[in-house]
Amino acid sequence: MSLGNELLSELEGEVEVRSDDHGAYLNATEKCHEFCCSKVSLLLSRYPMKIWIPQINPARRSGCTWLFGVQFGGGLVEGDNVRCKITVQANCCVLYASLGQNKAYQCAVGKTVCQKNDFHVGPNSALFVLPDPTLLQKESALSQYQVTRVASNGNLVLLDWYISGREGLLEHWEGARYRYLQSTVQGL
C-alpha cells in the first residue's frame, strides 16, 4: 500500500466519523447540464473554519458555484487540526478560494498545525482550488495533506504555492517545520 493510499483511508475515516475535530464538509450534488445550475446541497463547518457562499456569485455566469474558505483569526494556531472535504458531483463546477487557511502562526517547540483537504471531482465536473499562498510565520510548524480524486473525465485546476515569510518583518524561511503531501488519483 502506498503512502497516498494510506492517506486516502485515513482521511475517509476522519471525515466520515465527524468527530469533534475542527473541519468542514461540502457536497455539491445538484445535477446540472454543462455546469448551468451547480448548487450546494450540504454545508457543514466548525470553528475555526468557515465556508462562505457569496450571495452575489461572480462565477455564477459560468455555472460554477463559488466557495470562500476562511479561518477565524486569519490563520492556524498551535494545536489546530483542520479538515476540509469537498465533493463535486457529476456535471457540476466549484471554484474554491480561501483566506488565511494556509497561514500558520508561531508554535511552541514540538507543537504543530495540521491541515487536511480531501477533494472529490465527479464525471464531467470541474473543481478549481485557488487558495491563498502557504505562509509559515517565524517558528511555526505546519503539516498539510491533500488528497484529490478525479473521475477519468473530471477536471481539476489546483494552485499550490507558498511564500517565504512576512516580508514586512524581514522573515525569510524562518518557519520551524513544513511537511506537505499531495496525492492525486485519476480515473475513479
Side-chain angles (χ1 to χ4, degrees):
M1 178 180 281
S2 72
L3 181 58
N5 288 336
E6 291 170 11
L7 182 59
L8 288 172
S9 298
E10 176 186 341
L11 281 171
E12 285 173 344
E14 290 175 356
V15 170
E16 300 278 316
V17 169
R18 299 299 303 150
S19 67
D20 288 334
D21 291 309
H22 307 308
Y25 176 78
L26 169 84
N27 191 2
T29 61
E30 197 66 30
K31 290 199 175 196
C32 305
H33 176 65
E34 296 192 4
F35 312 140
C36 63
C37 59
S38 296
K39 293 181 183 176
V40 174
S41 63
L42 176 65
L43 176 62
L44 304 169
S45 62
R46 293 188 180 154
Y47 181 85
M49 183 177 193
K50 181 75 174 170
I51 296 179
W52 291 334
I53 304 169
Q55 286 185 342
I56 299 173
N57 192 337
R60 194 50 142 168
R61 289 187 201 115
S62 67
C64 260
T65 295
W66 186 39
L67 309 170
F68 195 68
V70 297
Q71 294 299 128
F72 288 105
L76 302 166
V77 297
E78 173 183 310
D80 277 348
N81 187 6
V82 178
R83 293 171 183 83
C84 178
K85 179 177 181 180
I86 296 177
T87 301
V88 183
Q89 296 292 344
N91 304 311
C92 291
C93 179
V94 172
L95 185 148
Y96 178 62
S98 70
L99 176 64
Q101 282 192 300
N102 297 336
K103 183 193 301 181
Y105 290 112
Q106 182 176 351
C107 297
V109 175
K111 299 289 184 176
T112 191
V113 170
C114 187
Q115 181 183 45
K116 296 178 181 179
N117 295 316
D118 190 10
F119 302 129
H120 300 256
V121 183
N124 298 315
S125 296
L127 174 62
F128 300 86
V129 181
L130 309 174
D132 269 358
T134 298
L135 167 64
L136 274 69
Q137 293 189 2
K138 188 175 183 177
E139 299 177 11
S140 63
L142 174 63
S143 294
Q144 286 183 316
Y145 305 96
Q146 192 157 277
V147 176
T148 308
R149 296 177 212 155
V150 183
S152 59
N153 60 347
N155 300 283
L156 172 69
V157 174
L158 176 67
L159 176 63
D160 181 18
W161 60 316
Y162 51 90
I163 55 179
S164 65
R166 296 180 294 181
E167 188 68 32
L169 297 175
L170 301 177
E171 289 181 7
H172 298 284
W173 307 114
E174 294 185 33
R177 185 175 58 254
Y178 179 50
R179 181 178 177 184
Y180 178 78
L181 175 64
Q182 165 66 43
S183 175
T184 303
V185 179
Q186 186 173 17
L188 299 177

